[in-house]
Amino acid sequence: AQSVAQPEDQVNVAEGNPLTVKCTYSVSGNPYLFWYVQYPNRGLQFLLKYITGDNLVKGSYGFEAEFNKSQTSFHLKKPSALVSDSALYFCAVRDDKAAGNKLTFGGGTRVLVKP
Amino acid sequence: DAGVTQSPTHLIKTRGQHVTLRCSPISGHKSVSWYQQVLGQGPQFIFQYYEKEERGRGNFPDRFSARQFPNYSSELNVNALLLGDSALYLCASSYDRVVDYGYTFGSGTRLTVV
């Protein structure tokens, strides 16, 4: 079984400050991990993924995420947040032992960046 | 190139009715997956189709069914609609394995059941 938890429903940050969105996962095998962002009334847009290799993954729009196997975490980070980063962020996981393309998503974290 | 196209964008149905949602994947993408996103929650996997064959099914009742056509477009059908089926239904296309090629999501169909 595969599962994801996003412990924060909302994160508030001032523009220019660092942004962190937390994600923890549970899988039977090894994880494939993804971050997506959703703007109002839109589908999900891909930010980055971890498959294997370097634990620090760099993605779109200045976002990065750090894979930590011992803590089963994959937190999303941005060094300097923009007002335009305000959106809903989803972490997703797929167990490498699973078949098919099923991703299991977390409940989402709303990010509000204030000017 | 066109992205993932879903139709209709919005619709309202009455309890007990049937609904068909449509998805056209990105040209060349062979895999289509359907997700249900209830307001305030993350997307939940319903189905995946690849080359017209079902490759995965989520924990949804038999009222939900889907198919994929030779041109890789897909339909999601829901029978005997319940109020709890109200959600944003997302279609995600991929060339093949999501871990290699990723998903591209459509903007979704907003279904309201009254």
Side-chain angles (χ1 to χ4, degrees):
Chain A
Q2 53 192 41
S3 65
V4 170
Q6 294 182 242
E8 301 159 316
D9 290 336
Q10 181 161 322
V11 170
N12 297 317
V13 62
E15 187 174 32
N17 282 1
L19 169 64
T20 299
V21 185
K22 295 179 181 178
C23 171
T24 59
Y25 66 89
S26 175
V27 293
S28 302
N30 294 307
Y32 299 133
L33 293 155
F34 303 79
W35 275 101
Y36 287 85
V37 61
Q38 186 177 35
Y39 296 97
N41 300 313
R42 301 296 302 274
L44 279 66
Q45 296 178 26
F46 171 79
L47 286 177
L48 50 81
K49 67 179 179 181
Y50 171 83
I51 304 301
T52 187
D54 194 348
N55 289 343
L56 184 63
V57 179
K58 293 189 182 296
S60 306
Y61 313 118
F63 284 94
E64 59 188 28
E66 186 166 11
F67 171 65
N68 188 318
K69 188 171 184 177
S70 63
Q71 297 186 5
T72 62
S73 67
F74 189 57
H75 300 332
L76 181 71
K77 300 181 181 182
K78 187 171 184 181
S80 179
L82 301 173
V83 172
S84 57
D85 294 327
S86 298
L88 192 53
Y89 291 80
F90 290 99
C91 181
V93 69
R94 180 179 167 279
D95 191 326
D96 72 341
K97 296 193 180 307
N101 279 353
K102 174 185 176 181
L103 295 187
T104 297
F105 286 85
T109 298
R110 186 166 303 280
V111 170
L112 181 60
V113 182
K114 298 180 179 179
Chain B
D1 282 340
V4 178
T5 304
Q6 292 188 242
S7 63
T9 55
H10 298 81
L11 75 165
I12 301 174
K13 290 286 189 177
T14 304
R15 279 176 296 174
Q17 285 188 316
H18 164 271
V19 68
T20 297
L21 311 181
R22 296 177 173 85
C23 172
S24 293
I26 289 176
S27 178
H29 281 198
K30 304 176 185 177
S31 174
V32 170
S33 299
W34 288 94
Y35 285 82
Q36 180 196 63
Q37 186 180 14
V38 173
L39 192 63
Q41 299 181 17
Q44 294 212 9
F45 175 79
I46 310 175
F47 286 110
Q48 181 209 349
Y49 277 78
Y50 179 81
E51 293 273 17
K52 297 177 290 180
E53 292 189 0
E54 183 181 301
R55 287 291 186 89
R57 174 185 286 254
N59 188 24
F60 280 81
D62 291 343
R63 300 184 295 107
F64 288 76
S65 64
R67 56 180 175 169
Q68 186 177 33
F69 300 98
N71 66 353
Y72 302 120
S73 67
S74 178
E75 286 182 352
L76 175 70
N77 296 283
V78 186
N79 292 324
L81 285 166
L82 304 174
L83 295 179
D85 296 330
S86 296
L88 181 67
Y89 288 84
L90 295 166
C91 173
S93 82
S94 179
Y95 177 74
D96 194 338
R97 294 189 342 142
V98 66
V99 296
D100 298 322
Y101 298 96
Y103 274 147
T104 300
F105 280 88
S107 295
T109 294
R110 172 76 62 187
L111 171 64
T112 302
V113 182
V114 297

